[in-house]
Amino acid sequence: MAWPPRRSSGRSSRRQRNIALLGRAATIAAVAIAAMLLVLSRASPDRYSALRSSAADLVAPLWAAVLVPLAEVQAAAGSVADYFNAVEKVRLLEGRDRMYEIERERHLQALHENRELKKLLKVSEPERERIGVFAISGSSTGAYVRYALISGGARDGIEPGQPVFAASGLIGRTVDVGNRATRVMLITDVSSRVPVRVVRTGLPALLIGKNLPLLDIDLSGPSNAVVRVGDRLVTSGDGGLFPPGLPVATVARISGDMPEARPTATPDGLEYVIVERPYMPPILLPEEQPQEREAHPEAVNQTRAAQ
């Protein structure tokens, strides 16, 4: 048996008609206001701009009142999420701490074994001699040179061709030495060449300055696929000027003919630098003696007897 449809009362139908009429009126009013604003923006931009400013002043307090509760709700939700995630974060940090502790013990063990092997083999290493710590008085960058000035000179024991570095890495080398100031050629200078090695692989390379923020990496034969972005480069000690192990740069880009690296230290953000004597002093060859006196003494005696 089918039930007859429910009859709607007069009040509900009248209410629905009123709601529909109000909705249509609101839609027509919104369209009309939008059309008026569009015409006003075209006809009188100045009045339209003033009207927008007034509307913004009226809406701003209401919008701020609405945003404050929303911000508080978001902050409370974030605090609750952080509270429940704190245990997982603590476990992750504890695991990393244990991993770093194991790596630190391995590193210390390797250093100890290295020292013992050097003692057994009687390895002779040059001693690093520090000249002093000096303040950077200025730096200059040009199309052909890049250098810095330090507040130390010949009176402090500085000579041309000495390494200059900071705690963050190698800066360059001394070139022009005055009595109270010294010019330092930076590793980014176009004339700079620094022998380095890749920490991850031990691969030798040569850092070449080009008066740009990045340095070229000359791998001298091996493919540039051997290095990766993020590889650290340190001084190798080749040539005897720079001591081995100083941080120099980090591989930043692998493209083109040569990979590029970003220096780890720049004088722009430094106040003081360290100047040392060359790691390996230059080898001085013995002076050649007169041949007729020391090289062939018998020939000299025969000459004197003949006279």
Side-chain angles (χ1 to χ4, degrees), residues 120-164:
L120 293 175
L121 297 174
K122 297 181 180 180
V123 177
S124 178
E125 293 183 343
E127 295 183 359
R128 296 172 57 177
E129 182 180 355
R130 176 178 297 185
I131 296 176
V133 180
F134 305 95
I136 294 181
S137 56
S139 60
S140 175
T141 58
Y144 299 100
V145 294
R146 287 180 178 256
Y147 63 88
L149 294 175
I150 60 175
S151 60
R155 65 173 185 172
D156 302 303
I158 299 179
E159 298 176 356
Q162 293 176 339
V164 181

Side-chain angles (χ1 to χ4, degrees), residues 86-103:
V87 176
E88 186 65 25
K89 291 181 179 179
V90 169
R91 291 176 181 175
L92 179 62
L93 292 176
E94 289 179 350
R96 290 182 179 179
D97 184 64
R98 286 193 295 269
M99 181 182 67
Y100 292 150
E101 186 65 25
I102 293 173
E103 293 296 329

Side-chain angles (χ1 to χ4, degrees), residues 231-243:
D231 279 346
R232 295 185 299 113
L233 306 176
V234 297
T235 52
S236 62
D238 295 342
L241 175 60
F242 304 111

Side-chain angles (χ1 to χ4, degrees), residues 151-215:
S151 60
R155 65 173 185 172
D156 302 303
I158 299 179
E159 298 176 356
Q162 293 176 339
V164 181
F165 58 93
S168 54
L170 182 66
I171 298 294
R173 70 187 76 181
T174 58
V175 285
D176 297 330
V177 180
N179 188 32
R180 298 176 179 271
T182 300
R183 188 168 69 92
V184 178
M185 183 176 67
L186 304 179
I187 60 175
T188 53
D189 189 273
V190 70
S191 301
S192 175
R193 302 291 186 273
V194 180
V196 296
R197 63 178 177 84
V198 184
V199 175
R200 181 176 58 86
T201 61
L203 180 73
L206 187 67
L207 277 182
I208 303 174
K210 52 182 181 178
N211 286 347
L212 294 175
L214 298 181
L215 306 168

